[in-house]
Amino acid sequence: MLKPKVVVPQQFIHEHPIVRGEEFGVLCWNTQKLTETPRFQRALAGVLADFPCLFLVLQEVKLRAKDNWLLPHWSFAVAPNIQTRRSIYGVLTASQYAFTEAQARLSKKREGMFATHKSYMLSYHSLAEGGSLLVVNVHAINFVRTHQFSQEMELIKAELLEHRGPLIVAGDFNVWSRQRRLRLLQFCRSVGLKHAIMADPHHIKTYRQHPLDFIFYRDLSLQKALAIDTSTVSDHNPLYARFKL
């Protein structure tokens, strides 16, 4: 009943490719299903005013099934993991660059506590000189054994190894144990990803002293990265990174 339909909400209205030497901001945020609330929307507008972005990589989004996305002038795609008559829930990637395509994925495993899947999104964004940037929006599976977490990460890895261009992998990885953190690091090494080390890391959401949210990248130049204190909104703070192609 809760498993989402095949149809994935999306809107592609931008045609601008990414030009070599161009800088762009990425904001990664687990929104705790608050996306439709005025408080969250005010907070997001304030963050975007202070930290200009051309990519939004959001987890735990909640949207009314029949309404438009709250930023109508952005291109976007949603990978739902739960769908009801009134709402869809999942990860959302938005950009003011062109989408070549967006592919929604569901975890193979279900989470033990709620018997629901997690979702992730692969979106491709054209480069002016050819090829594409792949942005992977991950809300990693929780409440399963470490080896099942690893199996899900291996499925993502298999898709990433097929991509030859620049890469951003960001989201809430639910690495709340040393074992999960080690598996995530192994995943990053196998794909050639670097970790965007955040300024103000004390603002990153942690559980058992393990940070949960990350931005990783490959074949891009990191200009800056920081965690932003918005603790009055979601139980996670957003991460911001600025890259140059």
Side-chain angles (χ1 to χ4, degrees):
M1 182 178 71
L2 295 176
K3 189 172 181 179
K5 299 175 182 177
V6 176
V7 176
V8 178
Q10 61 185 38
Q11 166 182 282
F12 297 159
I13 58 176
H14 291 83
E15 298 179 355
H16 171 53
I18 308 171
V19 177
R20 181 172 295 279
E22 190 168 0
E23 283 193 20
F24 57 89
V26 176
L27 189 77
C28 175
W29 198 351
N30 181 323
T31 67
Q32 200 188 7
K33 303 180 180 69
L34 299 171
T35 340
E36 295 182 313
T37 65
R39 185 175 64 167
F40 173 80
Q41 293 179 18
R42 286 193 300 269
L44 178 60
V47 169
L48 292 177
D50 292 335
F51 303 95
C53 292
L54 289 173
F55 284 100
L56 299 177
V57 182
L58 306 181
Q59 302 84 45
E60 279 201 48
V61 164
K62 176 187 176 185
L63 298 174
R64 278 190 288 272
K66 296 183 179 180
D67 285 0
N68 290 325
W69 157 233
L70 67 147
L71 290 177
H73 302 300
W74 291 63
S75 294
F76 72 90
V78 182
N81 70 312
I82 297 174
Q83 187 166 357
T84 67
R85 286 184 178 181
R86 293 186 176 182
S87 299
I88 58 172
Y89 304 82
V91 303
L92 183 150
T93 301
S95 181
Q96 295 185 44
Y97 286 123
F99 276 73
T100 306
E101 61 177 312
Q103 300 176 7
R105 299 284 188 265
L106 279 176
S107 63
K108 299 297 182 187
K109 303 290 183 183
R110 294 173 182 262
E111 294 184 326
M113 187 177 295
F114 304 109
T116 55
H117 299 270
K118 277 288 196 288
S119 61
Y120 64 97
M121 168 77 71
L122 297 94
S123 61
Y124 295 83
H125 306 270
S126 56
L127 306 177
E129 297 185 3
S132 61
L133 164 70
L134 170 56
V135 177
V136 187
N137 184 347
V138 178
H139 194 186
I141 195 163
N142 209 354
F143 309 115
V144 297
R145 297 181 182 276
T146 301
H147 77 275
Q148 294 174 317
F149 169 83
S150 293
Q151 288 171 353
E152 296 292 339
M153 296 305 294
E154 284 295 310
L155 294 173
I156 300 175
K157 170 185 164 182
E159 298 202 81
L160 301 195
L161 288 175
E162 296 181 3
H163 182 69
R164 294 290 174 257
L167 185 56
I168 294 171
V169 182
D172 175 357
F173 289 86
N174 279 315
V175 284
W176 39 258
S177 70
R178 183 174 178 272
Q179 291 80 5
R180 281 179 167 238
R181 181 75 179 270
L182 288 173
R183 301 296 173 89
L184 177 60
L185 293 175
Q186 291 168 358
F187 162 81
C188 290
R189 280 197 295 269
S190 68
V191 185
L193 294 170
K194 297 179 181 178
H195 179 198
I197 305 294
M198 299 289 143
D200 298 320
H202 56 284
H203 291 319
I204 302 173
K205 166 82 174 199
T206 61
Y207 185 72
R208 297 178 181 172
Q209 299 183 319
H210 293 279
L212 304 180
D213 303 315
F214 297 88
I215 297 177
F216 302 106
Y217 66 99
R218 185 183 76 192
D219 295 340
L220 294 164
S221 175
L222 180 65
Q223 306 298 297
K224 65 188 294 187
L226 69 155
I228 304 166
D229 182 16
T230 58
S231 52
T232 58
V233 185
S234 169
D235 62 345
H236 289 247
N237 281 318
L239 307 185
Y240 176 75
R242 194 157 186 84
F243 294 103
K244 180 184 285 188
L245 180 65

